[in-house]
Amino acid sequence: MKILIVGGVAGGASTAARLRRLDEKNEIIMFERGEEISYANCGIPYYLGDVITDRTQLTIVSKEGFNKQFNVDVRIKSEVISIDRKNKKVKIKDTSNNNTYEESYDKLVLSPGGTPIRPQLQGINDSRIFTIRTLSDMDLVKKFIKEKNPKKVAIIGAGFIGLEMAENMHRLGLMVSIVELADQVLNVLDAEMAALIHDHLKVKNIELVLNNAVTEFKPAAGGGLKLLLKDGYEIDADFVILSIGVRPETALAKEAGLEIGSLGGIKVTPELKTSDPDIFALGDVIETRDSVCDCASLVPLANAANKQGRIVADNICGGKATYDGTPGTAIAKVFDMAAAITGSSEKLLKKRKLPYSKCYLTPSSHAGYYPDAFPIYMKFLYNPADGRVLGAQIVGPEGVDKRIDVLSTMVQLHRTVYELAKLELAYAPPFSSAKDPVNLAAMIAINQIQGRNPSVSFEDVEALKKENALFIDVRSGLEFELGHIAGSVNIPLPEIRKRLSEIPKDRKLVLVCNQGKTAYFAQSILKNSGYDKVFDLSGGFKLYKVATAPQQNVGIFQSHYIDKRDDIQTVIPGRGKIYQLDAGGLQCPGPIMALAKKINEISDGDVVEVIATDPGFRNDIPSWCATTGNKLLQVEERDKKIVAKVQKGKREEKSFNGEIPHDKTLVVFSGELDKVLASFVIANGAASMGRKVTMFFTFWGLNALKKKTSPKVKKGFFDFMFGIMLPRGSWRLKLSQMQMFGIGPKLIRFIMKRKNIDSLEAMIFAAKAAGVRIIACQMSMDMMGIKKEELMEGIEIGGVAVYLNSAESSDTNLFIS
Ligand code: FAD
């Protein structure tokens, strides 16, 4: 039998090798368009980041080596350009001399992979815009970095490869900006799980621009590239990596009349036969079935391609092997975290209208008492009717891979939570806990199914508040002080039995702790005390905080950005002893509590160097120091751990009882460029210090919020006349002084650019991204005939009550006129 294979990497090479192992006599020819075969494209990001330093590590086997080992005729620089199905022949172009020739076949295997998507944007053909698929693509990037010594890269697309590239470019010391069309990275995950990765990327100083898209690339003044984004934001970069996904390379198949599936991949049977029984296809080019939803699925992953190679070879040699669908199991390293998924996400289950329930948990990677236990964040999805495991997502620094693999097995084998709860998995303190996290997930699910643990999650909070539900935070007073859901009351778990009289029976109760476990204990107490509307907040305050925080950090490489770490004191301890405290393995607030205890034992001016493994400690420690009067001298990451130095100080006495408000409100009455600029400088500064900022634009201030080009809106005569007299948007604002016959505003913009100060437009963009509420005054809009459509995206329209409401929780209220 003569077998031809198109494509010589993951799918092609594994098919060829298995074919030979099954039969010595078949003639096998493998055509590869590129210069190398069977290489490890999954290793490309790590070679570019100098983690793998020897290029030959990626080239698993040479053409000659493959031929020697498997007696396969390997032809590189050979592109198959057409298929003649009737006469069972293919035409090949030798790309070294452009000659063409034909080869006949008995069986043909297509494994041409997927092509990186390159959108047709203005400027896309610039030689500094790269895609990453083959080793030749990799070589081009490596050469560029070596020769041009770039300082800044923009990565378009935040899928697994985009994030791997971000990490590796950051490793080389480059400033990295990521632009992603969706409002989250790793779109296969649900948003709240991706939020955990956003949090981590921000800590690593990666600029994250979400919900946005590049519309044009153009040369920048300093010699680099300027990326223009959909909503006006601009990014300067020395080069760009496009990683917005791959499209199945189906041109050959389409031209040969093979059937293409609904998602654009070659349609195949479970035996991996195409619509022509003598042609098989596999890898990134095919469309398979999703093993949970039984819908069409494209999963461009090496693990599937390699296994499919074996199936194709077996079937060509007379076997009856099948590919039974994909659970879409995937994992990526994102700096110190791993992010993994198996089965269906919640959004996919919703889209498919499949019944599901979910729970969140944050177990430790191994026994908390054994050194270096890290928290892992898990989301678990199951069918409440029959208990079938539908999917899981895990984010964490350690132990993610083995948990996702167990869960992937359950998903693929269609097993249930009842079976998962009983699984006996390897345990000793350095590796796991007696109840492994996957057992715990199943046990929580069973509790939910049996009605023992009714729960709500972060996205229900606002609706529950409207229903007048009472949020009871059952954590300690210290934890509550470090952050809580607005409006909640604090009744720590140990006090709950004594304080039942304070808890109403006629309201829905939502119990909140850090992860859901303490709340579950409190829930049992309340249920056994006659309360029947008691829910726990699944995932706890930790997940709520991350999921509801601003997800982007637009503008971190620009001059207006005030680093969040400005709450760190620069004082060097003048006196006192230095103590070490190992809080590894403790989950927040464990490290804080251990630190508080240590601080109590030492004298003023002494310093504690504390090491924690819970990433949440990084965010908690500045707030704790600020509230307690201790000085935070340093926070850094070492080997996935957070190391902080804290000097004992004294808490400043508050002058009154009750909370000091920290929010800021600004009323922007003026439409003059300098005054609007000053407003945004203050707003962005306050936002970057974690304050809630509300800007209320009224009268002339509204002009700053108008779009550059006017959309068509219906207006009455007076509104129209008034409108044409007003400046259109921030670009046209005048100065309060030094008009200089109209050149003043241009001059000031020129000076700002020279001094690397952000433009007003960039500041507005950054403010929106940082969660600053920008409110246009409804009454002034009505008076001035300004319509909603004329204002930039993301502006709220509100009355004075909205402003006054924000002002009540502010300690600073500025009127810019
Ligand atoms: P490929 O391996 O892409 O091979 C297709 C080959 O066919 C190409 O070399 C191409 O030149 C050749 N070809 C195409 N058309 C023709 C033609 N007409 N004639 C001759 N030759 C042709 N997957 C994971 O599971 N985990 C990872 O960590 C991971 N990381 C990745 C990182 C990067 C940077 C990249 C690019 C991919 C990564 N993948 C990963 C995906 C994985 O590499 C692919 O899913 C897998 O290689 C697909 O195998 P394939 O045989 O379908 O296609």
Side-chain angles (χ1 to χ4, degrees):
M1 185 162 37
K2 182 172 175 185
I3 306 157
L4 304 187
I5 301 174
V6 182
V9 189
S14 54
T15 308
R18 174 80 176 168
L19 278 171
R20 176 56 72 228
R21 283 195 291 268
L22 292 175
D23 192 309
E24 262 305 307
K25 288 187 233 64
N26 287 332
E27 183 186 356
I28 307 168
I29 309 176
M30 184 167 81
F31 299 102
E32 170 53 49
R33 187 170 53 195
E35 294 180 22
E36 282 151 308
I37 58 152
S38 192
Y39 53 82
N41 39 15
C42 309
I44 291 176
Y46 303 99
Y47 176 72
L48 288 173
D50 286 347
V51 177
I52 300 167
T53 48
D54 179 359
R55 189 186 184 281
T56 60
Q57 299 276 351
L58 301 181
T59 47
I60 297 161
V61 58
S62 67
K63 160 180 154 26
E64 293 74 23
F66 200 85
N67 175 270
K68 223 180 202 175
Q69 193 175 345
F70 299 109
N71 185 25
V72 169
D73 180 355
V74 179
R75 301 190 192 167
I76 56 166
K77 296 187 193 170
S78 301
E79 182 175 6
V80 175
I81 52 174
S82 64
I83 304 170
D84 175 358
R85 285 170 54 200
K86 201 162 147 231
N87 298 304
K88 294 180 83 173
K89 278 196 274 187
V90 299
K91 190 185 257 183
I92 302 108
K93 183 165 92 179
D94 180 340
T95 58
S96 55
N97 54 21
N98 281 344
N99 289 342
T100 58
Y101 62 98
E102 289 183 341
E103 278 297 346
S104 63
Y105 64 82
D106 295 308
K107 298 287 175 198
L108 175 65
V109 178
L110 301 179
S111 190
T115 332
I117 298 169
R118 221 182 152 92
Q120 283 315 302
L121 298 173
Q122 209 168 325
I124 190 84
N125 294 326
D126 192 295
S127 61
R128 293 162 294 180
I129 303 174
F130 301 93
T131 50
I132 308 277
R133 179 187 182 185
T134 61
L135 294 190
S136 318
D137 297 336
M138 174 186 86
D139 293 338
L140 287 176
V141 178
K142 191 86 174 173
K143 185 164 176 274
F144 181 89
I145 294 174
K146 200 167 167 212
E147 288 176 0
K148 307 284 182 204
N149 193 20
K151 301 279 174 290
K152 186 151 193 274
V153 59
I155 293 175
I156 316 299
F160 286 115
I161 297 175
L163 293 190
E164 286 175 356
M165 285 305 300
E167 177 187 344
N168 280 286
M169 293 300 98
H170 180 268
R171 210 175 167 269
L172 297 181
L174 273 82
M175 285 182 271
V176 182
S177 295
I178 298 178
V179 182
E180 167 58 56
L181 184 64
D183 53 8
Q184 65 167 93
V185 303
L186 300 177
N187 214 7
V188 287
L189 301 184
D190 288 317
E192 70 281 18
M193 298 306 283
L196 294 159
I197 296 294
H198 299 167
D199 199 41
H200 190 57
L201 289 170
K202 286 192 258 172
V203 167
K204 296 291 178 185
N205 269 332
I206 301 295
E207 183 182 31
L208 200 51
V209 183
L210 301 170
N211 220 348
N212 216 332
V214 179
T215 53
E216 188 182 336
F217 299 94
K218 58 183 193 186
L225 276 165
K226 193 173 270 306
L227 283 64
L228 308 186
L229 271 61
K230 197 174 71 183
D231 75 346
Y233 185 56
E234 294 179 0
I235 293 176
D236 285 327
D238 298 316
F239 70 110
V240 171
I241 290 172
L242 287 178
S243 57
I244 50 182
V246 290
R247 194 174 282 136
E249 196 161 325
T250 48
L252 257 186
K254 271 187 191 158
E255 216 185 295
L258 296 177
E259 206 177 323
I260 303 295
S262 57
L263 301 179
I266 300 178
K267 207 167 180 180
V268 289
T269 63
E271 293 76 26
L272 301 176
K273 271 185 194 165
T274 65
S275 51
D276 181 329
D278 292 320
I279 305 180
F280 289 77
L282 71 157
D284 289 1
V285 80
I286 63 166
E287 200 167 296
T288 55
R289 304 298 294 170
D290 181 292
S291 54
V292 175
C293 299
D294 195 31
C295 52
S297 175
L298 288 175
V299 182
L301 290 172
N303 56 9
N306 278 282
K307 281 170 203 94
Q308 289 162 0
R310 184 180 170 96
I311 295 169
V312 167
D314 284 0
N315 289 337
I316 289 177
C317 295
K320 284 203 171 7
T322 53
Y323 184 72
D324 301 325
T326 174
T329 305
I331 188 165
K333 175 178 177 307
V334 187
F335 292 87
D336 302 337
M337 293 283 183
I341 182 167
T342 187
S344 285
S345 61
E346 185 178 1
K347 57 188 162 192
L348 199 66
L349 291 166
K350 263 192 191 147
K351 199 166 143 198
R352 299 259 151 221
K353 298 195 171 64
L354 293 173
Y356 71 90
S357 286
K358 63 175 172 180
C359 62
Y360 299 93
L361 60 158
T362 318
S364 291
S365 53
H366 58 249
Y369 56 83
Y370 186 85
D372 297 346
F374 290 92
I376 53 178
Y377 300 88
M378 295 176 66
K379 176 172 184 175
F380 182 68
L381 295 143
Y382 61 95
N383 183 337
D386 58 11
R388 187 177 149 192
V389 180
L390 300 176
Q393 293 156 53
I394 314 182
V395 173
E398 293 277 357
V400 171
D401 48 351
K402 71 171 179 167
R403 274 60 192 229
I404 208 74
D405 281 345
V406 174
L407 293 165
S408 171
T409 313
M410 300 303 284
V411 170
Q412 285 181 74
L413 300 181
H414 298 183
R415 294 306 176 118
T416 67
V417 293
Y418 308 105
E419 291 161 305
L420 180 58
K422 284 192 267 186
L423 275 193
E424 284 187 21
L425 300 162
Y427 161 64
F431 303 102
S432 185
S433 299
K435 282 182 196 149
D436 188 87
V438 298
N439 298 134
L440 283 177
M443 288 169 188
I444 296 172
I446 294 169
N447 279 344
Q448 286 181 343
I449 293 172
Q450 294 173 344
R452 279 185 221 283
N453 181 208
S455 33
V456 293
S457 50
F458 70 96
E459 74 265 36
D460 305 319
V461 167
E462 291 312 312
L464 283 159
K465 279 185 182 171
K466 284 192 188 125
E467 280 180 48
N468 196 29
L470 178 64
F471 285 75
I472 305 177
D473 196 313
V474 295
R475 299 172 301 163
S476 66
L478 170 67
E479 291 167 90
F480 186 74
E481 211 177 316
L482 286 175
H484 53 260
I485 295 177
S488 52
V489 295
N490 182 212
I491 307 182
L493 178 72
E495 297 173 21
I496 213 155
R497 287 190 179 87
K498 280 182 276 163
R499 294 175 61 180
L500 288 178
S501 60
E502 294 172 39
I503 304 173
K505 282 208 163 125
D506 56 344
R507 286 172 72 181
K508 252 189 196 170
L509 305 175
V510 181
L511 304 174
V512 184
C513 66
N514 264 332
Q515 314 150 17
K517 197 167 154 191
T518 314
Y520 170 55
F521 299 153
Q523 190 179 34
S524 311
I525 298 174
L526 290 180
K527 285 185 85 180
N528 293 333
S529 308
Y531 290 81
D532 57 357
K533 287 181 279 183
V534 199
F535 301 84
D536 87 343
L537 182 71
S538 190
F541 181 68
K542 258 187 184 178
L543 188 71
Y544 172 84
K545 191 169 151 196
V546 171
T548 56
Q551 301 295 312
Q552 314 183 65
N553 57 354
V554 177
I556 56 166
F557 300 130
Q558 298 182 1
S559 49
H560 73 257
Y561 192 82
I562 299 171
D563 190 274
K564 286 233 188 309
R565 299 267 74 83
D566 65 355
D567 43 15
I568 298 171
Q569 318 279 314
T570 46
V571 194
I572 304 295
R575 61 197 169 91
K577 290 186 193 152
I578 297 185
Y579 295 88
Q580 304 294 327
L581 175 66
D582 184 357
L586 298 176
Q587 291 202 20
C588 266
I592 291 279
M593 296 178 90
L595 177 62
K597 185 167 172 277
K598 187 81 199 167
I599 287 274
N600 270 340
E601 293 163 8
I602 62 176
S603 316
D604 281 0
D606 287 351
V607 173
V608 182
E609 184 182 79
V610 52
I611 299 178
T613 47
D614 185 339
F617 182 64
R618 190 178 179 112
N619 292 332
D620 286 347
I621 185 72
S623 330
W624 182 79
C625 287
T627 0
T628 53
N630 295 296
K631 285 189 184 123
L632 182 56
L633 305 176
Q634 188 188 343
V635 181
E636 62 177 20
E637 282 175 44
R638 278 187 224 152
D639 300 332
K640 301 184 186 175
K641 296 176 198 164
I642 316 292
V643 183
K645 279 191 187 150
V646 177
Q647 185 176 35
K648 181 165 175 165
K650 275 201 190 90
R651 182 199 280 261
E652 277 175 31
E653 288 309 318
K654 290 180 187 171
S655 54
F656 66 95
N657 280 337
E659 273 189 26
I660 300 174
H662 286 307
D663 300 355
K664 318 282 171 209
T665 37
L666 290 92
V667 180
V668 187
F669 179 83
S670 167
E672 288 157 337
L673 177 63
D674 41 353
K675 294 180 183 171
V676 179
L677 267 170
S679 316
F680 276 98
V681 169
I682 297 168
N684 285 341
S688 67
M689 289 168 71
R691 307 295 180 233
K692 279 192 196 152
V693 183
T694 306
M695 301 177 82
F696 189 71
F697 284 77
T698 182
F699 284 94
W700 314 116
L702 287 170
N703 291 323
L705 303 182
K706 285 192 190 165
K707 285 180 185 153
K708 198 172 189 175
T709 40
S710 169
K712 282 207 169 99
V713 281
K714 263 195 182 168
K715 285 191 179 187
F717 174 73
F718 290 109
D719 287 349
F720 176 74
M721 291 310 289
F722 198 40
I724 55 175
M725 288 188 288
L726 295 173
R728 176 151 297 284
S730 58
W731 294 265
R732 308 272 166 80
L733 300 185
K734 295 187 172 151
L735 287 173
S736 60
Q737 296 183 25
M738 287 197 353
Q739 272 307 322
M740 298 195 295
F741 307 105
I743 57 167
K746 288 200 177 96
L747 187 64
I748 199 150
R749 281 176 184 270
F750 172 74
I751 294 171
M752 284 166 71
K753 196 164 186 181
R754 267 196 58 203
K755 302 211 166 184
N756 201 20
I757 299 170
D758 274 340
S759 66
L760 173 58
E761 295 72 41
M763 286 192 201
I764 297 177
F765 186 90
K768 284 193 283 176
V772 172
R773 283 182 80 188
I774 303 181
I775 299 169
C777 170
Q778 177 76 71
M779 191 274 289
S780 312
M781 283 176 67
D782 291 347
M783 253 193 69
M784 298 167 81
I786 299 173
K787 304 279 178 215
K788 184 172 181 249
E789 296 79 358
E790 291 177 85
L791 300 182
M792 296 177 202
E793 303 300 325
I795 308 291
E796 288 177 55
I797 299 188
V800 74
V802 183
Y803 154 69
L804 288 174
N805 223 347
S806 308
E808 275 185 5
S809 56
S810 299
D811 61 347
T812 309
N813 188 12
L814 302 173
F815 193 84
I816 316 281
S817 68

